[in-house]
């Protein structure tokens, strides 16, 4: 694995790591009041729009200890953040602290861009949500700090559900849920043949892999003997989950099955879907924003998504992490700022806004809170993509999306999963 890691990092990444060694030793020994540096922090736009007071309070607390340090918060957008970060890391103007989506962290760990951190320096690290902690870990070392968590759940139109079933409460078992979708389908069909009771796009691989997880399958498994990852989509468990998902797509999606989930909140905003499977914040997107429908305000609700065999559907663990950049000359300041921004006091601010905190202890009360119960209860058992070196760089979405689309269009599950396994295996352990 070490040989694979070195090859994955490459010479440039190794030089970054070497250059960073000891870079903050001199600064860290200085009197805090004598520090005069600038700390540049990249946060995503949610912090600016939803919890700006937390950013302000943490900066104020930080400057009590380091009055001479200037903290520059630069807000980024998800659409172009990775491109901007990659460009900045190739030059000499880069952030010292960066927020990363949990699916982004591995590629930066492997290319040597992130500084190693000591979890013991961070409050609640002993109860960090496992799904987030895993995204920050590689070969026994930790390279980022969990920031907040999210998970996918059922987002539904209460009026559409009630019109079909007589109740606006989403059923809790899959048998009852699908029976309700049949009734909603019949009702919608009287007015709009293109409206779906359950809108599952055919290329929605996050949803498909949730059904794989529901049947005990995995995308890939690690072979201890061979010291490599192997795609596992051809296993009976994975195939059963994939078939289950495809059956739902074919039965309930009355729209374009070749699409992915990127615009499913818009589909619901246009009243073409009674239920979608999305992230909690997408419920807000249905009613607000550029493509939202204000007429649906108060009519959109969330609930745990019922899954096979009487259990809730396992959710993909989403969320963000915070990391220092390895070649930053103020890594120690970055670590302290992150520590303040992710401590129990800060997590309480997020929890008060129904944002899931980074640790199990503070997550627990949200499991009973009506506004957060569905998503909070989905997090502990959530699944994540393989923590494999090659997974960070392979075109995994395209492989999985194409596999699903082939099956939706008529290919056998066995043939399509075998083809996907071959493609993933050719890339997931690739050394260069």
């Amino acid at each position: 694995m070490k040989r694979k890691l070195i090859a994955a990092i490459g010479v440039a990444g190794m030089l970054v790591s070497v250059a960073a060694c000891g870079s903050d030793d001199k600064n860290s020994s200085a009197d805090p009041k004598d520090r005069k540096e600038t700390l540049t922090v990249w946060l995503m736009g949610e912090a600016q729009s939803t919890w700006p007071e937390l950013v302000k309070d943490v900066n104020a607390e930080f400057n009590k200890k380091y009055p001479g340090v200037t903290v520059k918060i630069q807000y980024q957008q998800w659409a172009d953040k990775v491109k901007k970060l990659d460009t900045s890391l190739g030059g000499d103007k880069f952030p010292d602290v960066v927020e990363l989506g949990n699916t982004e962290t591995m590629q930066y760990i492997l290319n040597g861009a992130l500084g190693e951190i000591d979890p013991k320096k961070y409050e609640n690290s002993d109860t960090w949500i496992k799904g987030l902690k895993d995204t920050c870990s590689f070969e026994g070392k930790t390279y980022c700090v969990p920031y907040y968590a999210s998970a996918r759940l059922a987002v539904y139109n209460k009026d559409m559900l009630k019109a079909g079933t007589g109740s606006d409460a989403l059923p809790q078992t899959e048998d009852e849920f699908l029976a309700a979708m049949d009734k909603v389908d019949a009702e919608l069909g009287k007015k709009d043949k293109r409206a779906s009771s359950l809108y599952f796009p055919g290329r929605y691989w996050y949803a498909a892999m949730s059904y794989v997880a529901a049947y005990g399958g995995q995308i890939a498994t690690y072979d201890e003997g061979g010291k490599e990852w192997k795609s596992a989509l051809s296993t009976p468990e994975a195939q059963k989950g994939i078939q289950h998902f495809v059956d739902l797509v074919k039965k309930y999606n009355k729209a374009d099955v070749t699409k992915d989930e990127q615009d499913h909140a818009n589909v619901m905003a246009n009243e073409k879907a009674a239920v979608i499977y999305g992230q909690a914040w997408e419920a807000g997107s249905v009613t607000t924003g550029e493509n939202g429908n204000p007429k649906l305000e108060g009519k959109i609700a969330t609930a745990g998504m019922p899954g096979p065999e009487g259990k809730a559907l396992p959710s993909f663990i989403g969320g963000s992490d915070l990391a220092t950049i390895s070649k930053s000359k103020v890594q120690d300041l970055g670590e302290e700022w992150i520590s303040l921004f992710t401590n129990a006091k800060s997590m309480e601010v997020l929890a008060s806004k129904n944002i899931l905190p980074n640790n199990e202890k503070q997550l627990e009360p949200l499991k009973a809170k009506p506004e957060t119960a569905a998503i909070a209860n989905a997090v502990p058992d959530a699944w994540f993509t393989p923590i494999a070196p090659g997974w960070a760089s392979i075109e995994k979405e395209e492989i999985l999306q194409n596999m699903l689309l082939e099956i939706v269009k008529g290919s056998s599950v066995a043939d399509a999963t075998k083809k996907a396994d071959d493609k993933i295996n050719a890339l997931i352990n690739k050394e260069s």
Side-chain angles (χ1 to χ4, degrees):
M1 182 62 75
K2 289 294 185 183
R3 181 167 59 90
K4 290 182 174 66
L5 177 58
I6 291 173
I9 292 175
V11 176
M14 293 169 63
L15 291 175
V16 167
S17 298
V18 171
C21 291
S23 62
D24 61 351
D25 290 349
K26 181 178 179 180
N27 289 336
S28 62
S29 63
D31 188 315
K33 291 182 172 57
D34 293 335
R35 302 288 294 268
K36 303 296 181 184
E37 298 98 332
T38 295
L39 179 70
T40 301
V41 179
W42 279 18
L43 292 177
M44 304 311 296
E46 290 84 354
Q48 183 180 29
S49 62
T50 312
W51 47 92
E53 73 277 19
L54 174 58
V55 180
K56 180 180 178 181
D57 291 347
V58 166
N59 286 345
E61 184 69 21
F62 181 83
N63 281 134
K64 287 181 181 179
K65 181 175 180 179
Y66 297 101
V69 173
T70 300
V71 180
K72 289 186 176 180
I73 306 294
Q74 297 178 349
Y75 294 102
Q76 309 298 320
Q77 301 302 316
W78 290 109
D80 62 356
K81 190 276 301 292
V82 168
K83 183 177 180 180
K84 288 178 65 176
L85 180 59
D86 291 346
T87 300
S88 72
L89 291 175
D92 58 2
K93 292 184 179 180
F94 46 83
D96 303 294
V97 172
V98 62
E99 176 182 345
L100 296 168
N102 62 349
T103 59
E104 299 170 346
T105 56
M106 187 56 66
Q107 67 186 82
Y108 292 106
I109 291 172
L110 291 174
N111 67 22
L114 307 185
E116 183 182 350
I117 62 102
D118 180 0
K120 294 179 182 178
K121 294 181 179 180
Y122 299 88
E123 194 171 1
N124 290 320
S125 61
D126 57 336
T127 60
W128 278 344
I129 291 171
K130 185 180 184 301
L132 290 182
K133 181 180 178 181
D134 287 348
T135 70
C136 289
S137 307
F138 187 73
E139 294 195 330
K141 297 181 179 180
T142 306
Y143 294 89
C144 53
V145 177
Y147 173 15
Y148 66 86
S150 67
R152 283 170 169 77
L153 68 171
V155 180
Y156 68 98
N157 184 311
K158 292 190 290 184
D159 284 357
M160 286 185 177
L161 185 64
K162 189 171 184 179
T165 68
S167 171
D168 63 4
L170 199 76
Q172 296 184 354
T173 69
E174 189 179 53
D175 286 345
E176 294 172 338
F177 171 67
L178 296 182
M181 293 300 96
D182 290 339
K183 292 178 181 178
V184 173
D185 250 353
E187 188 65 27
L188 290 175
K190 297 175 183 178
K191 302 175 182 178
D192 188 347
K193 298 293 185 182
R194 301 297 293 170
S196 306
S197 57
L198 173 60
Y199 179 68
F200 265 157
R203 298 171 67 236
Y204 193 179
W205 72 272
Y206 284 114
M209 294 306 109
S210 288
Y211 285 96
V212 167
Y215 284 106
Q218 299 180 64
I219 298 174
T221 57
Y222 187 66
D223 177 12
E224 293 287 350
K227 301 297 182 183
E228 65 179 6
W229 286 83
K230 291 184 178 180
S231 185
L233 297 172
S234 294
T235 62
E237 296 84 0
Q239 289 186 353
K240 192 172 182 180
I242 291 168
Q243 185 65 64
H244 191 120
F245 168 77
V246 170
D247 288 344
L248 294 177
V249 172
K250 289 182 175 180
K251 183 173 183 180
Y252 294 107
N253 185 354
K254 301 300 190 297
D256 184 355
V257 297
T258 67
K259 299 178 70 173
D260 61 24
E261 78 285 3
Q262 293 300 314
D263 70 341
H264 64 177
N266 295 342
V267 174
M268 176 168 274
N270 289 324
E271 300 183 74
K272 298 292 185 181
V275 181
I276 62 173
Y277 180 59
Q279 303 212 52
W281 58 264
E282 290 183 290
S285 298
V286 174
T287 59
T288 62
E290 183 179 352
N291 298 309
N293 184 352
K295 294 180 181 179
L296 295 179
E297 186 69 41
K299 299 179 180 180
I300 304 303
T302 59
M305 188 72 167
E309 302 180 345
K311 299 178 181 178
L313 185 66
S315 175
F316 174 81
I317 182 74
S320 280
D321 303 313
L322 292 165
T324 61
I325 297 301
S326 62
K327 62 180 182 179
S328 167
K329 294 182 179 180
V330 289
Q331 282 187 66
D332 62 318
L333 295 179
E335 290 177 4
E336 286 206 48
W337 189 91
I338 293 174
S339 179
L340 289 172
F341 200 65
T342 59
N343 65 18
K345 181 180 178 182
S346 295
M347 291 297 103
E348 191 60 38
V349 174
L350 295 188
S352 72
K353 297 178 179 293
N354 295 332
I355 304 299
L356 304 188
N358 66 4
N359 64 90
E360 293 277 3
K361 182 179 180 181
Q362 290 177 286
L363 178 71
E364 196 63 31
L366 299 185
K367 294 180 181 179
K369 188 176 179 180
E371 299 91 334
T372 55
I375 188 171
N377 282 289
V379 164
D381 296 323
W383 60 275
F384 194 65
T385 51
I387 309 296
W391 190 263
S393 59
I394 69 173
E395 299 298 326
K396 65 272 186 184
E397 287 93 349
E398 185 176 350
I399 293 172
L400 296 173
Q401 288 173 337
N402 289 342
M403 174 195 71
L404 292 171
L405 193 55
E406 286 182 22
I407 300 169
V408 169
K409 289 184 173 182
S411 293
S412 72
V413 173
D415 289 344
T417 54
K418 174 62 167 59
K419 186 187 297 184
D421 274 347
D422 289 344
K423 289 180 179 179
I424 290 175
N425 283 331
L427 295 169
I428 198 168
N429 295 297
K430 194 173 182 179
E431 298 182 4
S432 61

